[in-house]
Amino acid sequence: MSSGLRVVTWNCRRASTTSHLWDYLLELNPDIALLQDFGSIPKRVLDAYAHAANRRSPAADRAPRHMSGVLLRAGTALDLDLPAPAEWVAQELDTWAEYFTAKVVTLPSGAILRVMSVYSPAFPVDRARMELVDTAGIQLTQNRDVWGTELMWATLKAMDVGADDPFLVGGDLNSSESLDWSASKPRGNLEVMERMNALGFRDCLRAFTGQLTPTFRSPRGELIHQLDHLYATAPLSGSLTQCRLGSAERVLQSNPSLSDHLPIVADFDCA
């Protein structure tokens, strides 16, 4: 890969064309943006970026609630199939298709990488649909439900991602081990991260800071949980030069706030 790849992942909290969130995104100047929960994309952004849209997106500049998507400043993007290890996983990936935008990206340098923008909602897969399904091996061992994070993990595992394959997975996973700190018993949040690590993915923000870094401001104004993550395989995590959050002052203290999530900004030296 050529040097100087910047990637941003951000839950945009239904940003419309009039939101100043888009101005800040342009200032962050990513080469690739992995977005979740955006409403509509303004022309000034689409003039600078190609929208590699989710297959459920009704239009290039609009999205229904919680839709994920990928913005690409230069290069091309093709759809990436999401394999499944079981028929019920395939059915749920189709039911939840708007939450998973996966692309094969070719950069201007000719380098090829796979990317996935993921939104794992704060609600699980419908329990009624899971009632007679054998979810063993995919469902978390400490949780009674199946969540978007398990569908994400299952399809990534089915892809059999190699150690030398450059792959980025970013999004609002609604998962943080801090969510288990005050719970009567763990609910599997740490297991989500451990599963990703076992597949060869590393959390870029955790790797760079050495600790959990909160990304989400709760309705009570608390900044405790790292719900947002940017995972990378070794060819990219090994070339990580910086990973930080966007400005809390710009995002959270604007009136109105741009989002209740802070963007993760990662720089890779891929020479």
Side-chain angles (χ1 to χ4, degrees):
M1 291 186 182
S2 61
S3 61
L5 178 69
R6 171 166 286 188
V7 178
V8 167
T9 183
W10 199 358
N11 178 315
C12 302
R13 198 185 60 177
R14 301 298 298 148
S16 69
T17 55
T18 60
S19 173
H20 293 296
L21 175 145
W22 301 111
D23 300 307
Y24 187 42
L25 180 66
L26 290 173
E27 288 180 35
L28 292 174
N29 196 31
D31 297 290
I32 300 173
L34 308 176
L35 304 181
Q36 307 86 43
D37 197 17
F38 57 93
S40 51
I41 305 174
K43 184 177 182 298
R44 63 186 183 280
V45 174
L46 294 176
D47 285 344
Y49 288 88
H51 179 202
N54 184 284
R55 62 186 177 91
R56 292 276 174 85
S57 183
D61 63 342
R62 296 193 308 280
R65 183 172 174 80
H66 298 323
M67 180 72 77
S68 61
V70 176
L71 296 183
L72 183 63
R73 181 162 57 188
T76 61
L78 300 174
D79 287 340
L80 173 63
D81 290 335
L82 300 181
E87 180 58 31
W88 73 266
V89 176
Q91 291 173 356
E92 294 304 328
L93 284 169
D94 184 67
T95 300
W96 284 32
E98 63 268 28
Y99 302 145
F100 298 88
T101 302
K103 303 290 178 179
V104 180
V105 171
T106 302
L107 299 173
S109 65
I112 298 174
L113 67 153
R114 290 181 283 181
V115 304
M116 185 188 297
S117 178
V118 179
Y119 179 78
S120 180
F123 53 84
V125 173
D126 189 343
R127 289 177 183 170
R129 293 203 300 269
M130 296 294 98
E131 188 174 357
L132 301 178
V133 173
D134 180 7
T135 60
I138 295 173
Q139 182 175 349
L140 296 170
T141 60
Q142 296 177 317
N143 202 294
R144 64 176 293 190
D145 289 306
V146 175
W147 303 80
T149 47
E150 286 78 81
L151 300 180
M152 172 191 73
W153 174 80
T155 192
L156 289 170
K157 190 173 188 294
M159 289 182 193
D160 194 22
V161 179
D164 296 326
D165 294 339
F167 205 133
L168 290 167
V169 178
D172 174 8
L173 302 187
N174 268 300
S175 178
S176 174
E177 65 263 42
S178 56
L179 291 169
D180 289 345
W181 292 347
S182 60
S184 59
K185 61 180 180 179
R187 292 171 293 182
N189 285 284
L190 184 59
E191 188 178 357
V192 172
M193 182 172 63
E194 291 173 342
R195 282 178 158 191
M196 290 295 287
N197 291 345
L199 292 181
F201 289 85
R202 294 294 178 269
D203 185 309
C204 293
L205 190 59
R206 176 69 64 93
F208 193 78
T209 64
Q211 60 186 359
L212 180 149
T213 304
T215 61
F216 170 72
R217 183 177 67 181
S218 73
R220 292 185 292 183
E222 299 172 325
L223 198 62
I224 300 174
H225 307 301
Q226 184 186 335
L227 301 186
D228 306 88
H229 303 265
L230 179 63
Y231 283 100
T233 53
L236 289 161
S237 63
S239 66
L240 183 69
T241 59
Q242 179 176 248
C243 192
R244 60 181 175 85
L245 297 180
S247 167
E249 181 178 4
R250 286 287 299 277
V251 176
L252 302 178
Q253 297 177 24
S254 297
N255 188 18
S257 61
L258 304 185
S259 176
D260 49 1
H261 292 254
L262 294 169
I264 297 174
V265 185
D267 291 315
F268 303 91
D269 183 2
C270 303

